[in-house]
Amino acid sequence: MSNVTVIGTQWGDEGKGKIVDWLASRADIVVRFQGGHNAGHTLVVGEQVYKLSLLPSGLVRGKIGVIGNGVVVDPRALMIEIDRVTAQGLTVTPETLWIAENAPLILPVHGALDRAREAARGDRKIGTTGRGIGPAYEDKVARRAIRICDLAEPETLDWKLDEVLLHHNTLLAGLGADTFTKEELKAFLAEITPRLLPYSCAVWDRLDDARRAGRRILFEGAQAVMLDVDHGTYPFVTSSNTVAAVAASGSGVGPNSVGFVLGIAKAYTTRVGEGPFPSELYDAVGRTLGERGHEFGTVTGRPRRCGWFDAVLVRRACRVGGVSGIALTKLDVLDGLEEIAICVGYELDGEKITSFPSAPGAQARVKPIFETMPGWNETTAGARSWAELPAQAIKYVRRIEELIEAPVTLLSTSPERDDTILMRDPFED
Ligand code: GDP
Ligand code: IMO
Ligand code: MG
C-alpha cells in the first residue's frame, strides 16, 4: 500500500480533478502542493458540478484537504471558493481543511503586476490567468513574500509591506499601472486574517503523524509537466514546478512519501494560453474535439486550443515526472472519428527528431510527424469496463502505451465520477 501523486502530463486540464475525486474515495487525505487559483478542476457528481481552483478535490468526498506550503494562496479567492462549495452542501472547517502556515500569500499587487506585464508584452504575452501567480512566486524566492504565519505577528507587517510596496510600486509605476498604498494592503490583510488564520497549521507535522499512522495520502498536482517552470515550454509556462518530486517539498514530507505517480493524459491534446503546440489542429477536426470535449478554460473561459495526442511530449513528461502509470481521459471525445492521428516525432529544419527541443525558437518550428489509425464507430462514453470498449479503441490505448513507454492504469470515459475503468489500483502498488 502506498500513497499516490497525481500530475498532469500535457498542458493542464487533462481531467486531474475528476481522477483525484475518484481516487479520493480510497484515500484519507488529499494534498495540493503547488500552483494556486490558476488551476481549475471540474468534478461532476450526479447533478452536482463542483468547480475547484484552490481547494483540494478530496473535500468533495468528505476527506481532509490540505493546502501545502508550495501553493500560493489568494485568501480572498479561497474564501469565495469556500463559500461557494459550502452553498453546494460541503463542509469546510479547520478540521477538514489544513493550510500550511508557511504558504505565501497572493496580494492584490501580484494580480495587478501580472496583468500590467501581460498588457505591456502585447503580442508576446504568455497568456497567463492574470491571477498573480508568477509575481507571488517571484516574491517567495526574493524573500519578500508575506506568508500566512506572518498574519499572526501583525507588528511585523509594517516593514514587510514596505518591502513589498517598494518593489511592486516601482514596477507598477514603470508600467503605467495604478500603484498601491500601505493602508490598502493593511486593510486587505486585516479583512482576511480572522477567516484565514484558523485554517493555518504546521502541515508538515500533521502529515508526518498521518504517515506514521498509516493513513493514505493523495497528492493532487495542478497544471502539468509541459507548464513546469523547468521542464515545460519555457517561457510559456507557469511559475511553479509541477512534477511529482515537488509533492514532497511542497507539503513538507520526504520524497519517499510521493508513492505511485499517476500521470493524467487526455486522449488528445489541449492548451490554453500562448506557446508552442506541435500537434495543434486548425481544422474542423480540431473544432470538433473542442466542441465535444467542452474545451473551455475553467478559470478564464478561454477556448482551449486542440490537437492530436502528442506521444513524444507525454513520453518526456513520464520520464521527468517519474510517472508509474497513466490515467487516460476523454477517450469518449474521439468516438465516431473516421481516423485518429498520434504525433510520434517531429521534423526540425528538414531533420527528423524523436524528442522535443528545449530552445523556444526550435519548439515553435518543429513540425509534427503523425501516425494514423482508423477510429471507431461505437461509443465508449460511459464505459465502465474494458470489455465495453470497441477493439479499435483498445488498439489506440495499447499504441499509446507503447509510444509513451508507460502503462495505462486507468481510463476515463465521461466527466461523471464513476465512468472510470480501473486496470491497476495505484494505492495497492
Ligand atoms: P483538470 O484541470 O486537469 O482537473 O481538468 P479540468 O477539470 O480543467 O478539465 C477537464 C474537463 O474534462 C472537465 O470539464 C471534466 O469534467 C471533463 N472530463 C474529465 N474526464 C473526462 C472524460 O473522460 N470524458 C469527458 N467527456 N470529459 C471528461
Ligand atoms: P489546471 O490545474 C491549463 C497556463 C495559463 C498560461 C500559463 C501561465 O486546471 O490544469 P499562470 O497564470 O499560471 O502564470 O499562467 O499557464 N495555466 C494553465 N493551463 N490548466 C491549468 O491548470 C493552468 N494553470 C496555468 O493558461 O498559459
Ligand atoms: Mg483545469
Side-chain angles (χ1 to χ4, degrees), residues 11-14 16 38-41 114 126-131 133-134 221-223 227 236-239 271-274 302:
W11 280 289
D13 304 323
E14 296 89 352
K16 298 177 291 293
N38 48 349
H41 303 163
D114 191 0
I126 291 167
T128 73
T129 58
R131 297 192 159 196
I133 307 296
Q223 290 85 50
L227 288 171
F236 300 97
V237 292
T238 192
S239 296
R271 169 162 213 176
V272 240
E274 310 303 312
R302 290 177 289 181

Side-chain angles (χ1 to χ4, degrees), residues 3-21:
N3 295 331
V4 174
T5 298
V6 165
I7 59 165
T9 61
Q10 294 158 321
W11 280 289
D13 304 323
E14 296 89 352
K16 298 177 291 293
K18 168 186 162 161
I19 301 293
V20 169
D21 168 58

Side-chain angles (χ1 to χ4, degrees), residues 405-425:
E405 297 167 9
V408 172
T409 55
L410 263 171
L411 264 174
S412 168
T413 57
S414 101
E416 259 291 331
R417 176 185 269 183
D418 292 320
D419 293 337
T420 306
I421 304 172
L422 176 69
M423 274 86 103
R424 193 163 122 205
D425 185 347

Side-chain angles (χ1 to χ4, degrees), residues 197-224:
L197 268 188
Y199 295 100
S200 140
C201 61
V203 156
W204 65 271
D205 198 21
R206 293 194 187 182
L207 287 180
D208 191 52
D209 287 347
R211 185 184 63 77
R212 286 169 196 268
R215 302 182 81 187
R216 284 177 171 189
I217 307 174
L218 176 57
F219 294 95
E220 175 180 10
Q223 290 85 50

